[in-house]
Structure formats: C-alpha cells, structure tokens
Amino acid sequence: MSRLVYVLNGPNLNLLGKRQPEIYGRETLADIEKACRLLAGELKLDLEFHQSNREYEIIDWIHEARGRAVGLIINPAAFTHTSVAILDALNAYDGPVIEVHLSNVHKREAFRHHSYVSLRADGVIAGFGGQGYELALRRIARLIEPKAA
Ligand code: CA2
C-alpha cells in the first residue's frame, strides 16, 4: 500500500532563510525538507517535496497526488489568500490535507486571516516555523492508521 505524502510549497518560499528571518526564521526550505525526510523515514512515509512560484505547477502536483498519495501537506504561501484554483484542485483530492504556515498568519495583516485552502484542509498549523511541517507529517501518519481519529 502507498505511504506517499506530497509536501507542496508556494511562491517565494525558495527565499526562506535568506530574507525576513524575523518573520520566517533562519531555516531554509532545504533544511525543512531534510527534517521532513528524516521524520518520514521514522514514520515509514515516502515524500514528494516541491516548491514553485507558479500557481499552475502547484495545481498540477495536486492532480498528480490524486490516486497516488495518501496525504498532502501544503503551504500555499500568498496563494492561500487568493487562489480559488488551488482550492478547486484540493477539492478533487480525496486524502487528508494539512495546511501549514510558518508564521502565525492571525497575528499579521488582516488580508492573511482568510484562507481559501482552509475550506478544504482537515487541519491548519500556523506559527510553529519549520516544525509545523513535522507536526503535519505526524498527523498524516496518524490519520492513515486503520481506525484513526
Ligand atoms: O507563514 C507562512 O508560511 C506564509 O504562508 C508565508 C507566505 C505568506 O504570504 C503567507 O501569508 C504566510 C510568504 C512566503 C514568503 O516567504 C519569504 C521568505 C523569505 C523572504 C521573503 C519571503
């Protein structure tokens, strides 16, 4: 049985650790991927980890995950607050979806308080920095256990 999890990252997250460390911390996306791969090994999960600045690429990866991945973790970055297209793609995906934000979006500007993706997400993690991705992986591992709660 597949234990593949997709981890998708939206625009500008390739700059992590290089700018605005006061908001997003000093960890790079490569550091986060490394930590996720280490934990995935412990949880016996396989990972597809991607980042793109292009909305259509994120949508294509969500389509690719259909029938392939047991769960999906997504930090849609600014597309969180704008993208009905990403919401529609997620609505066509059957497995658990966890939305992750590095920063606590609710402590920030009002336009970051609304998320289209939250209308589909089974859980939302915000403000835990890179650790949020690890918590999301643990949650997916729990949700795919038989008789999970
Ligand atoms: O807190 C998060 O993870 C966000 O998804 C990050 C997005 C932001 O638009 C969301 O409201 C919250 C921005 C990602 C941009 O990342 C940068 C990292 C370093 C330097 C510049 C941008």
Side-chain angles (χ1 to χ4, degrees):
M1 207 190 98
S2 156
R3 288 183 67 86
L4 180 63
V5 175
Y6 270 55
V7 183
L8 302 179
N9 295 282
N12 298 310
L13 286 167
N14 53 314
L15 298 178
L16 265 190
K18 296 164 191 161
R19 292 274 175 94
Q20 295 185 271
E22 64 290 355
I23 302 177
Y24 299 116
R26 296 200 177 276
E27 254 184 319
T28 64
L29 197 60
D31 294 332
I32 291 174
E33 178 174 359
K34 202 171 156 189
C36 284
R37 290 200 179 280
L38 198 70
L39 179 62
E42 283 173 33
L43 299 171
K44 303 204 179 344
L45 297 171
D46 299 312
L47 284 194
E48 286 263 0
F49 194 103
H50 298 293
Q51 186 275 331
S52 180
N53 296 325
R54 301 175 182 86
E55 192 174 16
Y56 77 87
E57 263 187 318
I58 294 167
I59 292 166
D60 284 350
W61 285 321
I62 297 168
H63 292 177
E64 197 180 276
R66 292 175 70 229
R68 203 169 169 242
V70 290
L72 204 151
I73 296 167
I74 184 164
N75 181 347
F79 292 149
T80 308
H81 319 296
T82 62
S83 183
V84 176
I86 289 178
L87 171 64
D88 287 345
L90 289 170
N91 278 331
Y93 173 74
D94 283 334
V97 173
I98 311 291
E99 176 182 350
V100 172
H101 298 286
L102 296 153
S103 63
N104 178 0
V105 282
H106 300 289
K107 209 175 162 186
R108 300 182 66 193
E109 303 95 322
F111 67 84
R112 296 186 204 274
H113 299 176
H114 177 263
S115 164
Y116 285 101
V117 169
S118 293
L119 292 166
R120 165 63 182 88
D122 298 290
V124 182
I125 296 170
F128 287 77
Q131 192 189 0
Y133 288 74
E134 295 174 58
L135 298 172
L137 268 176
R138 287 192 187 280
R139 182 66 184 153
I140 291 204
R142 172 71 62 86
L143 288 174
I144 64 172
E145 275 172 22
K147 294 197 201 134

